[in-house]
Amino acid sequence: MTPKSPKGDINKMNKNSKIYIAGHNGMVGSAIKRNLEKKGFTNFVTRSLEELDLLNEQAVAKFFADEKPEYVVLAAAKVGGIVANMTYRAQFIYENLMIQNHVIHQSYLHDVKKLLFLGSSCIYPRDAAQPMSEDALLTGLLETTNEPYAIAKIAGIKMCEAYHAQYGCNFISIMPTNLYGQNDNYDLEKSHVLPALIRKMVLGKCLLANDWSSLRADLNKRPIEGIDGSCGDEVIMKVLNKYGIFTLNGEVSITLWGTGSPMREFLHVDDMADSSVYLLLNYDAPDTTPSHVNAGCGEDVSIKELSEMVKRTVGYEGKIIWDAEKPDGTPRKLLDVSKLKGLGWKPSISLEDGIKRVVGAY
């Protein structure tokens, strides 16, 4: 195939440009859409999972042929915490690879002006030097608990770089740290650490206060393995016990995985969305690699410190027990965000303020 040149640069992106956000109902995709709307962009094309299966190559090809988006934000992915990553390893690598392959390739075939691919900080080696710069990619072994997901995301970065090198496509990638915020996933089996902590402690607080009406209301809104507020006390307690929430003689305890020692960095999803839109407006695919950009706050806390922060904010007064027999995951994941700061962007929401916002909304 003959290499193509980008159909115009980002400075020509206008408020009426047609923007396809894949994954617009998810936490990141919805935040990016809100951010773009606040900045005056109006011409969005979206499809729910029921309307467009991104695993179906023919369906994706028809969508691009029919809609002809000018800009694409690829925020659709199969995601989850350590439990989900260890349980659904085949699905995590297969589904993410297929989603990326179909959307990125069709964006090339239909002359998309710019594509933004969203990845994850888990792309970096388990023992990478901290903070992790973009140059650390592919310099060591990955963390085994989320290796399939990480490999898929690495493939997405390299696919964007390859399509730029061969065809001149203006495809860029952003790698966010751990995210939290509006539209987060509070499913205790599949959620990430922060939303899981918040929900466990909210439920634990209900048990401490013997507030079964609030506990049942929570389960009605977010059933756990099909168990909702209409179920009997014993059935509810059985599923809560499965996820480490216990009550005995009026005392409540919450069991958390690992030692609490791993260090993690967190970025509010509204900050993540703002950094993503900033790159859409100000950053084009370079001819050099690595081309991706880290997005984070540049500071981290231990999981134990995080749990205490959530405990104070929620007002949970029960016990926290650490199950050291369970895996910790990567010891530390702190991103070097000097590249993003050098481009002129920095976050505005502190972790403490962000947790207060999220707990209040929950």
Side-chain angles (χ1 to χ4, degrees):
M1 293 185 181
T2 303
K4 295 186 178 183
S5 297
K7 297 286 186 176
D9 59 48
I10 197 58
N11 294 323
K12 295 180 181 178
M13 184 177 182
N14 61 65
K15 300 301 170 64
N16 293 318
S17 294
K18 194 170 191 179
I19 306 167
Y20 168 47
I21 302 178
H24 74 287
N25 285 325
M27 179 172 69
V28 175
S30 62
I32 291 174
K33 186 171 184 289
R34 290 195 305 270
N35 189 282
L36 285 165
E37 287 171 338
K38 287 180 182 178
K39 288 180 168 65
F41 292 89
T42 59
N43 190 7
F44 299 98
V45 56
T46 58
R47 292 290 188 277
S48 67
L49 178 61
E50 292 74 25
E51 293 170 324
L52 176 61
D53 181 5
L54 295 178
L55 300 178
N56 185 322
E57 183 178 9
Q58 289 73 30
V60 177
K62 184 177 187 306
F63 165 79
F64 272 84
D66 292 344
E67 294 292 344
K68 297 179 174 59
E70 297 174 79
Y71 296 89
V72 172
V73 175
L74 180 43
K78 183 174 183 63
V79 299
I82 188 170
V83 177
N85 270 276
M86 291 175 65
T87 305
Y88 306 108
R89 297 177 73 82
Q91 287 175 262
F92 269 73
I93 192 166
Y94 172 78
E95 293 185 20
N96 283 301
L97 284 172
M98 290 302 101
I99 290 169
Q100 296 162 195
N101 289 347
H102 297 156
V103 174
I104 292 173
H105 188 62
Q106 292 302 322
S107 292
Y108 153 65
L109 290 178
H110 292 89
D111 299 325
V112 165
K113 293 178 180 179
K114 177 175 274 190
L115 176 143
L116 176 65
F117 171 71
L118 286 97
S120 166
S121 61
C122 72
I123 62 169
Y124 294 113
R126 172 185 168 87
D127 298 317
Q130 303 291 318
M132 300 178 292
S133 72
E134 288 84 356
D135 290 329
L137 186 65
L138 296 177
T139 59
L141 296 176
L142 298 166
E143 161 61 34
T144 56
T145 54
N146 57 24
E147 184 184 62
Y149 179 75
I151 287 175
K153 288 300 177 182
I154 292 170
I157 295 171
K158 290 302 177 183
M159 194 171 180
C160 288
E161 290 178 350
Y163 274 62
H164 174 69
Q166 184 172 350
Y167 305 129
C169 298
N170 197 5
F171 294 173
I172 61 175
S173 303
I174 187 168
M175 297 298 116
T177 189
N178 298 287
L179 301 175
Y180 68 100
Q182 186 174 334
N183 289 338
D184 209 340
N185 177 14
Y186 290 92
D187 182 328
L188 292 182
E189 181 187 19
K190 300 175 182 177
S191 64
H192 289 97
V193 60
L194 186 46
L197 284 173
I198 290 172
R199 189 174 190 195
K200 285 185 177 185
M201 292 192 192
V202 167
L203 293 172
K205 182 180 179 181
C206 290
L207 288 174
L208 273 171
N210 201 29
D211 184 359
W212 277 83
S213 61
S214 294
L215 190 148
R216 291 180 185 279
D218 183 284
L219 290 174
N220 282 332
K221 188 171 183 179
R222 304 178 182 91
I224 303 174
E225 295 187 2
I227 305 301
D228 60 21
S230 68
C231 297
D233 293 2
E234 290 187 11
V235 173
I236 290 174
M237 284 309 308
K238 185 176 180 180
V239 76
L240 292 184
N241 290 170
K242 179 178 177 179
Y243 291 99
I245 305 169
F246 300 92
T247 180
L248 181 64
N249 298 327
E251 291 192 355
V252 175
S253 65
I254 292 174
T255 300
L256 302 177
W257 276 36
T259 63
S261 64
M263 303 292 291
R264 292 292 182 269
E265 176 186 16
F266 295 90
L267 185 68
H268 194 283
V269 72
D270 288 345
D271 271 341
M272 168 56 193
D274 196 62
S275 66
S276 298
V277 174
Y278 188 86
L279 290 186
L280 274 173
L281 297 172
N282 298 284
Y283 180 71
D284 289 319
D287 293 332
T288 56
T289 61
S291 66
H292 65 283
V293 180
N294 289 339
C297 64
E299 299 177 357
D300 58 359
V301 296
S302 72
I303 297 299
K304 187 167 286 187
E305 290 172 319
L306 179 70
S307 69
E308 292 298 328
M309 197 179 298
V310 173
K311 183 179 181 181
R312 288 194 303 271
T313 307
V314 170
Y316 169 69
E317 297 179 351
K319 294 180 180 178
I320 295 177
I321 299 171
W322 296 93
D323 184 357
E325 305 246 326
K326 294 292 194 300
D328 271 332
T330 304
R332 193 181 188 197
K333 287 203 301 183
L334 177 64
L335 291 180
D336 180 342
V337 293
S338 57
K339 185 175 181 178
L340 182 57
K341 285 186 177 181
L343 291 169
W345 186 90
K346 61 181 180 179
S348 62
I349 304 170
S350 71
L351 179 57
E352 189 169 355
D353 287 343
I355 290 175
K356 287 178 181 176
R357 291 189 194 187
V358 173
V359 170
Y362 187 96

